[in-house]
Amino acid sequence: MKYGRTYNFSAGPAMMPEPVLEEIAAEMMNYRGSGMCVMEMSHRSKVFQQIRDEAEADLRKLMGIPGNYKVLFIQGGGTVQFAMVAMNLMKNGVGCYVETGAWSKKAIAEAKKYGEVKIVASSADKNFSYIPDCSNLDIPDNADYIYICENETINGTTYFQLPNTKGKVLVSDQSSMFLSRSCDVEKYGLIWGGVQKNVGPAGMAIVIIREDLIRDDLPKFVPTYMSYKTHADNDSLYNTPNCWAIYCCGKVFKYLLENGGLEAMHKRNVEKAGILYDFLDQSKLFTGAVRKEDRSLMNVPFVTPSKEQDADVVAASKEAGFDNLKGHKSVGGLRASIYNAMPKEGVEALVEFLTKYEKEHS
Ligand SMILES: *Cc1c(COP(=O)(O)O)cnc(C)c1O
């Protein structure tokens, strides 16, 4: 690794592609002859408008977003979307939720403030270690949408098959898998992702919403900023946006386009995750925490037989030059987040370290 950088397995904010960081550094003091840094620029200037427009156009190209979907850049990170989804989409006041872990639980708790929530499937019975069967959900006729967290960052599960929504709108939190593989946008009514997991700096969410779901008859209590229509009508420039995040994300979109797009990313991600899962499957000390069919390619939680040993591995990993391998405080154990920007060499180095640790402690 260049610049003395470390293999950082953080769940987010997380690693960004090195060439992108280098480009940002090169443009820091004077962005392309503008005489200023992007941080200092008016969001109403021509030069920023171009940065914004290119970012959207590149994202549309990357994901193949159809023309009848809006792309919105909204501040407040992921958590704000838990409320915005419910406030904007609960026309009949009924949201169906699949409960698969910490992040869907938060979405459920928030939605309950604005309407009726029906949990149509859950994996709570086995500590959220799998994705429940969603092929024949009991969905009420007046349901406004079916909500999933498509990759549970903390629990380490992912959907390899989308739920059968029986014609209802599918809403997906893709925060920790956004742009990790190709995505058939037309299968969704709304996709959202906080960008600090797999794309750029913290503080922004990207929302991809089908136009017919944007309403102008929202309840009066909905703040102006929390209405998707506000952002859609103003190209995400209703107020000062997170200019810096839009700029950095735009760079990552270009980088992904230049490096084979989402299919190439997915291929790399399958290979990277495979290296780690293959190790876990044969290890006598470390155990993966998730059912095989539902294992995330982005977040890999695993445990040793004891909490004390988990802590010892984390400490040893720091000494060996890795960072952020401690599992989330709500589940414990260890977790390696291996997003797009984690090089294959980083995963190989981790497996080498774990192999050595196991040898020395058996
Ligand atoms: C991190 C995360 C969030 C919350 O994002 P914040 O920007 O911290 O509010 C929501 N959903 C998922 C799946 C996440 O991984």
Side-chain angles (χ1 to χ4, degrees):
M1 293 276 276
K2 282 193 268 182
Y3 312 104
R5 287 163 55 75
T6 189
Y7 289 127
N8 174 10
F9 291 90
S10 168
M15 290 179 82
M16 287 177 60
E18 229 157 58
V20 166
L21 294 178
E22 282 170 335
E23 236 185 82
I24 291 168
E27 291 174 347
M28 183 65 68
M29 302 312 290
N30 185 349
Y31 176 81
R32 302 190 183 175
S34 65
M36 51 187 99
C37 173
V38 175
M39 275 188 264
E40 303 169 305
M41 245 171 225
S42 164
H43 59 296
R44 306 282 174 207
S45 63
K46 249 197 189 140
V47 54
F48 183 75
Q49 184 74 43
Q50 194 185 349
I51 291 172
R52 196 221 79 91
D53 292 349
E54 266 183 43
E56 180 179 336
D58 287 338
L59 180 63
R60 284 185 176 277
K61 206 188 293 174
L62 254 184
M63 292 183 75
I65 301 172
N68 62 326
Y69 284 74
K70 290 275 187 195
V71 172
L72 312 175
F73 301 113
I74 302 178
Q75 302 200 45
T79 298
V80 168
Q81 293 309 313
F82 297 146
M84 275 185 89
V85 163
M87 283 178 168
N88 284 265
L89 299 190
M90 279 185 165
K91 209 168 173 174
N92 300 327
V94 183
C96 292
Y97 283 72
V98 181
E99 184 189 49
T100 51
W103 292 114
S104 39
K105 276 166 79 176
K106 282 202 166 167
I108 288 164
E110 196 68 10
K112 279 183 177 165
K113 295 182 180 175
Y114 306 106
E116 192 191 320
V117 167
K118 190 166 183 235
I119 297 176
V120 286
S122 172
S123 53
D125 61 335
K126 287 187 183 149
N127 223 356
F128 301 119
S129 60
Y130 71 105
I131 298 288
D133 178 11
C134 295
S135 59
N136 187 20
L137 301 170
D138 184 12
I139 301 168
D141 284 343
N142 62 346
D144 289 302
Y145 58 85
I146 318 298
Y147 182 105
I148 59 169
C149 175
E150 207 168 330
N151 187 81
E152 280 278 3
T153 324
I154 292 172
N155 308 84
T157 56
T158 207
Y159 288 75
F160 287 98
Q161 196 173 1
L162 291 175
N164 173 4
T165 64
K166 302 183 175 168
K168 300 288 184 195
V169 167
L170 179 64
V171 175
S172 176
D173 172 2
Q174 287 197 349
S175 295
S176 48
M177 58 173 286
F178 196 62
L179 305 183
S180 67
R181 63 188 196 208
S182 42
C183 170
D184 190 353
V185 176
E186 277 185 333
K187 291 195 170 140
Y188 304 80
L190 188 154
I191 296 168
W192 70 265
V195 299
Q196 77 274 24
K197 306 288 161 69
N198 202 25
V199 192
M204 188 172 81
I206 294 178
V207 174
I208 300 164
I209 181 171
R210 213 173 62 208
E211 274 169 353
D212 62 286
L213 297 173
I214 298 172
R215 291 165 58 196
D216 51 15
D217 61 340
L218 293 180
K220 280 213 166 49
F221 70 80
V222 176
T224 309
Y225 194 84
M226 301 289 277
S227 156
Y228 288 130
K229 192 168 185 340
T230 300
H231 301 278
D233 286 351
N234 293 282
D235 287 338
S236 308
L237 287 162
Y238 171 74
N239 70 330
T240 321
N242 189 335
C243 302
W244 183 250
I246 293 172
Y247 163 70
C248 297
C249 289
K251 292 244 178 258
V252 173
F253 302 155
K254 276 200 198 308
Y255 174 80
L256 295 178
L257 284 169
E258 284 159 11
N259 285 276
L262 301 189
E263 255 158 52
M265 270 313 119
H266 183 235
K267 210 168 146 227
R268 281 190 39 177
N269 289 330
V270 167
E271 192 187 355
K272 272 158 42 186
I275 295 169
L276 188 46
Y277 285 126
D278 283 350
F279 165 76
L280 292 174
D281 286 344
Q282 59 76 50
S283 170
K284 293 194 172 58
L285 181 63
F286 300 100
T287 317
V290 172
R291 183 169 77 178
K292 261 189 186 178
E293 308 91 274
D294 306 319
R295 297 198 288 207
S296 168
L297 301 179
M298 299 281 102
N299 311 98
V300 183
F302 55 100
V303 294
T304 70
S306 76
K307 277 189 179 137
E308 292 70 30
Q309 190 147 32
D310 289 344
D312 187 59
V313 180
V314 171
S317 74
K318 277 213 166 150
E319 207 131 292
F322 303 101
D323 214 342
N324 290 310
L325 279 160
K326 193 165 173 228
H328 190 269
K329 57 184 186 294
S330 65
V331 297
L334 294 106
R335 172 179 52 169
S337 294
I338 49 175
Y339 298 119
N340 285 350
M342 169 61 68
K344 183 176 146 193
E345 293 74 29
V347 181
E348 286 169 342
L350 175 64
V351 165
E352 198 178 308
F353 161 78
L354 293 172
T355 306
K356 187 160 162 265
Y357 182 96
E358 183 168 348
K359 247 189 213 139
E360 288 168 3
H361 293 81
S362 58

